[in-house]
Amino acid sequence: MVAIKLIPAEEFQRVRESNVDKYKKLAVLADMNRANTLAEVKRAGSGHLGSSFSAMDIVTWLYHEEMNILKVGFESPDRDIYFSSKGHDVPGLYATMYSLDALPEEKILSLRRLGGLDGHPDLNIPGIEANSGSLGMGISKGRGMAWAKKHFGNGGRVYVLTGDGEWQEGQNYEALQSAVQQKIDNLTVIVDDNKVQSDKLVDEIMSLGDIEAKYRAFDWHVQRIDGHDYRQIEKALDEVKKVTGKPQIIIADTIKGRGISFMEHPIALEIGKGLYPWHSGAPDDESFEKGYSELIERINGSFSDLGLTPLKLKDIAPEEKRPPASMLAGEPLSQAAQEKLSAKVTDEFVARAYGQALVDIAARRKDIVVLDADLSSDCKVRDFEYAYPERFIENGIAEQDMVSMAGGLARNGLLPVVNSFASFLASRANEQIYNNASEKSKIIYALHYAGLIPAGPGKSHQSLRDISLFASLPNCIILQPCNAEESRMVVEYAVEDAQENVALRFIIGPSPRKIQLPGDYKLSFGKGVALTNGNDAIMFAYGPVMLHEALLTSELLAERGFGLKVVNLPWLNRVDAKWLEETIQPYELVFVLEDHHPSGALTDHILELLAASRNKPLAKRRLLRFAVEGWPACGTPQEALKYHRLDGASLAERVLEAGDA
């Protein structure tokens, strides 16, 4: 493991107290923040570097020179308010707050860990003013804060940072109109115009055109600056404070990845052969060391110019390896069970198999059209984009527009396959999905990033409502495959056999284990398949993450002489009632393991079927649901699962407790 170092808070204080030119001082402080951002993302194993670095000079100026927060305090009603609407750049914000002693060291070292710092801004962290990560909401939210300040007669301004790709979301344009109509002149929006969104140029995804002219057309006060030039930042922020009667926008031309040469656009796009490699995720060891050395060398050069002694770094101790949790308090697990608990994830991606299946089927189905919301790589449809560019439609960050376009395509004889993260597609475009469904045409919705895991980005990206939203449609079938093989089956079913709309749920990462289906397994409408045998209880589950935990539960319980039958049930709202009754007939204890909030998912559907049966199957048995209760935890997969008591060890305890009750 590569050694990770942190620039301690006292080093920032040393720079702040130095008697040197403020612009040079801020430049070195920004680079120090970049170094700590790189360290925290590397330690976390994921995060967003490119946008953290592009916004860093703006954020450093705001906190060190512009805002009154440190003077009046984060709780003062007269404080200035700053938050990022895009949210991706929050590791850089955390580093900035740490540099001003607004966050403790232990928090910086716990990015994307349970009890630490969320992967997107969250109000449970002191100093964070708004939850974000779901794009396009920030200006509206900032307008509300600015309006409230005026209403109560409080001082302070509201500053909202947006990304440039974020301006593909329509809510921004509604906010532009409203803020002018309401004369919100204590609101300043700053656009981090770094020209690159998740992995491609904004102009390639969905060009914004002349945004300066657009903002002026809405009658905002508009300025354009170099977002890395402190004199221009200072001048622009001084000017907006003189504007009365209208809100203001500062378009800051920035460089994505600013501060590390090979992460900067356009060099990074050349390295990535047209794709930006540093938007999300942690750098590999070689890239980390190379980038960190570049930053530290430049910082020490600046220290020398400022007459300061070289930078002192602090070694960060590696994270402790936690022992596997015991199935029962005080009872050690067998070596085999510990190995299962500690097992590493596989290299199998259900979403990758989905993308490959689309490419294969599209060769014979000329009506298939794939729509994407700037997530082609994550949703594994880039191969389709390359294979069938004439049938690939990039809609940018605009799910509502994309879904309604799909409705128009479907009404004219095409089969649209709509892709985005489940949390954004299912909820943001819910009204548009409902409208399409009411037209009784067929659309396939691919819901990526479904469920609790990965938990590092936080609640804005953890989709735990999508089953209930799609299940409320009378003509939509919801499926979640457990492995690559079943992924291909559900895509084939959705395209060739389904007469209704189909929602396909996919986890975004690799499977925790390869889920082994019987050799003769075929997808059968409304029916699941047993993965283990057991005579004491039965558990239904779906998807690679929860099936892995269910299988682990069965394995741990087997050591205690308790037989748990695990059934993979990919049909989340279309279960065959006769098959269900026959399957549970030998068992008094029936469990359902959900990768969802408790309401509106598989358990409710099963309960409805059993309650309606004339055979009264519920009269002799207990049905218990294990689901993600409350707000989802942010952290590593193991931390989040254990927090919600959905890991194999915790589930084993819960099953035994239920059996004793």
Side-chain angles (χ1 to χ4, degrees):
M1 177 64 182
V2 66
I4 301 176
K5 298 178 184 291
L6 188 74
I7 301 176
E10 52 267 25
E11 290 294 275
F12 289 93
Q13 184 177 354
R14 188 156 67 97
V15 176
R16 289 199 306 271
E17 293 175 352
S18 64
N19 186 24
V20 295
D21 176 84
K22 71 176 180 180
Y23 304 112
K24 293 180 179 178
K25 182 188 296 187
L26 287 166
V28 72
L29 285 170
D31 271 346
M32 293 166 71
N33 285 333
R34 287 185 174 98
N36 277 352
T37 301
L38 182 60
E40 60 178 308
V41 168
K42 177 62 175 173
R43 182 176 172 86
S46 61
H48 296 85
L49 290 173
S51 53
S52 290
F53 285 2
S54 64
M56 185 61 77
D57 293 307
I58 295 166
V59 175
T60 299
W61 179 275
L62 284 171
Y63 275 86
H64 282 269
E65 291 290 327
E66 194 67 34
M67 297 193 296
N68 64 3
I69 294 173
L70 297 179
K71 186 182 297 182
V72 303
F74 282 99
E75 301 302 321
S76 170
D78 294 316
R79 74 190 184 281
D80 291 321
I81 290 175
Y82 165 81
F83 67 91
S84 169
S85 179
K86 60 179 179 177
H88 288 155
D89 55 321
V90 77
L93 175 57
Y94 293 149
T96 303
M97 293 171 67
Y98 167 73
S99 76
L100 292 164
D101 294 321
L103 277 179
E105 182 179 299
E106 60 269 19
K107 284 288 187 181
I108 284 290
L109 300 181
S110 59
L111 175 65
R112 297 186 172 222
R113 297 292 184 265
L114 188 66
L117 300 176
D118 287 45
H120 285 82
D122 196 279
L123 285 176
N124 70 61
I125 301 163
I128 296 297
E129 299 280 6
N131 291 358
S132 58
S134 302
L135 298 178
M137 302 179 185
I139 301 176
S140 304
K141 194 169 289 189
R143 189 178 85 242
M145 295 176 177
W147 192 96
K149 278 186 173 293
K150 287 201 166 188
H151 177 74
F152 289 114
N154 297 331
R157 300 186 63 79
V158 178
Y159 300 93
V160 178
L161 183 77
T162 76
D164 45 7
E166 184 175 3
W167 281 92
Q168 293 155 1
E169 281 287 7
Q171 184 176 340
N172 288 305
Y173 297 93
E174 296 178 20
L176 286 178
Q177 294 183 122
S178 301
V180 168
Q181 179 70 25
Q182 296 163 8
K183 296 181 171 60
I184 309 293
D185 57 7
N186 54 340
L187 171 65
T188 299
V189 174
I190 303 171
V191 182
D192 180 17
D193 193 3
N194 63 34
K195 316 297 185 295
V196 184
Q197 35 196 116
S198 62
D199 58 13
K200 283 188 178 182
L201 291 169
V202 174
D203 283 348
E204 289 185 32
I205 298 294
M206 190 65 61
S207 176
L208 301 176
D210 188 347
I211 55 173
E212 189 172 346
K214 287 181 180 178
Y215 300 150
R216 293 190 192 281
F218 280 95
D219 200 27
W220 281 57
H221 173 87
V222 183
Q223 296 179 78
R224 188 159 211 147
I225 64 169
D226 179 343
H228 303 302
D229 186 318
Y230 290 110
R231 287 178 174 82
Q232 291 190 37
I233 295 171
E234 178 182 36
K235 183 179 178 181
L237 289 171
D238 283 344
E239 187 172 329
V240 298
K241 285 182 282 191
K242 300 173 186 175
V243 176
T244 58
K246 64 170 66 176
Q248 315 89 40
I249 282 186
I250 299 172
I251 306 167
D253 289 310
T254 60
I255 298 172
K256 192 154 186 172
R258 173 74 169 195
I260 295 179
S261 58
F262 60 87
M263 291 188 182
E264 291 185 355
H265 162 58
I267 295 172
L269 282 169
E270 294 173 6
I271 294 171
K273 297 179 180 179
L275 301 177
Y276 185 80
W278 310 108
H279 174 71
S280 62
D284 59 79
D285 290 353
E286 181 182 354
S287 299
F288 169 76
E289 290 185 319
K290 182 180 176 183
Y292 196 79
S293 296
E294 181 179 330
L295 283 169
I296 298 303
E297 183 177 341
R298 188 167 65 247
I299 292 167
N300 276 326
S302 299
F303 269 39
S304 178
D305 294 341
L306 299 177
L308 299 173
T309 57
L311 190 65
K312 295 178 182 177
L313 300 175
K314 182 175 181 179
D315 291 322
I316 299 175
E319 289 189 277
E320 293 182 11
K321 290 187 177 180
R322 297 177 178 85
S326 172
M327 183 176 70
L328 295 173
E331 287 193 22
L333 295 173
S334 70
Q335 182 63 33
Q338 291 189 40
E339 289 174 359
K340 289 167 185 171
L341 279 167
S342 305
K344 294 182 179 180
V345 296
T346 70
D347 60 356
E348 179 178 79
F349 286 78
V350 293
R352 184 179 294 154
Y354 151 79
Q356 291 168 347
L358 275 182
V359 171
D360 295 340
I361 296 171
R364 66 176 187 270
R365 287 291 301 261
K366 306 301 183 183
D367 57 335
I368 291 178
V369 180
V370 169
L371 294 86
D372 174 61
D374 184 34
L375 293 167
S376 183
S377 292
D378 289 318
C379 296
K380 302 296 185 273
V381 291
R382 181 132 287 153
D383 287 345
F384 189 99
E385 177 185 359
Y386 292 154
Y388 305 105
E390 74 284 357
R391 289 193 271 157
F392 179 84
I393 304 173
E394 179 55 73
N395 289 264
I397 306 170
E399 286 84 5
Q400 294 173 331
D401 174 69
M402 175 174 64
V403 167
S404 289
M405 181 185 185
L409 294 169
R411 289 280 297 130
N412 282 270
L414 293 167
L415 177 56
V417 184
V418 182
N419 295 267
S420 189
F421 286 175
S423 56
F424 307 147
L425 181 55
S427 53
R428 170 160 281 175
N430 185 252
E431 185 176 5
Q432 288 75 15
I433 292 167
Y434 179 87
N435 181 274
N436 286 348
S438 72
E439 294 177 345
K440 299 181 181 178
S441 53
K442 178 179 169 181
I443 298 173
I444 298 171
Y445 297 97
L447 306 165
H448 302 268
Y449 217 129
L452 178 66
I453 304 301
K459 61 178 67 70
S460 66
H461 284 56
Q462 293 163 286
S463 184
L464 299 164
R465 297 177 292 148
D466 54 282
I467 300 175
S468 59
L469 288 169
F470 274 93
S472 65
L473 300 173
N475 58 342
C476 185
I477 300 168
I478 310 167
L479 284 153
Q480 181 163 358
C482 70
N483 64 11
E485 179 186 4
E486 195 171 46
S487 291
R488 287 185 284 270
M489 293 180 186
V490 300
V491 176
E492 284 276 359
Y493 169 80
V495 172
E496 302 291 2
D497 300 324
Q499 301 302 306
E500 304 172 278
N501 294 284
V502 182
L504 302 177
R505 296 183 100 223
F506 298 105
I507 66 167
I508 196 172
S511 302
R513 74 164 79 186
K514 165 74 174 177
I515 306 296
Q516 297 292 341
L517 292 166
D520 59 349
Y521 175 71
K522 292 182 180 179
L523 194 69
S524 180
F525 187 87
K527 299 177 182 179
V529 62
L531 304 180
T532 66
N533 294 314
N535 297 321
D536 296 303
I538 186 170
M539 179 179 287
F540 296 96
Y542 51 89
V545 171
M546 292 307 174
L547 276 169
H548 165 70
E549 300 305 329
L551 291 170
L552 182 55
T553 302
S554 178
E555 291 156 0
L556 295 172
L557 288 172
E559 294 193 353
R560 302 284 298 170
F562 187 101
L564 177 68
K565 184 174 186 174
V566 175
V567 176
N568 167 42
L569 185 49
W571 305 89
L572 304 187
N573 70 331
R574 294 287 194 277
V575 178
D576 183 285
K578 182 180 178 183
W579 170 85
L580 177 64
E581 286 191 44
E582 291 175 351
T583 302
I584 67 170
Q585 195 279 329
Y587 302 96
E588 293 183 7
L589 271 176
V590 179
F591 301 98
V592 183
L593 178 56
E594 304 272 17
D595 198 1
H596 195 267
H597 278 311
S599 299
L602 177 59
T603 310
D604 283 356
H605 182 60
I606 288 176
L607 186 60
E608 182 180 336
L609 288 175
L610 296 177
S613 173
R614 293 181 178 179
N615 299 323
K616 298 182 179 180
L618 289 174
K620 300 178 181 179
R621 53 184 51 86
R622 297 168 61 202
L623 176 64
L624 290 89
R625 166 173 48 204
F626 300 138
V628 183
E629 304 278 353
W631 295 106
C634 173
T636 65
Q638 294 77 18
E639 287 175 333
L641 287 163
K642 185 170 178 56
Y643 176 85
H644 290 286
R645 297 192 71 200
L646 297 176
D647 61 293
S650 298
L651 287 168
E653 291 183 22
R654 297 173 77 178
V655 168
L656 291 177
E657 289 168 1
D660 292 338

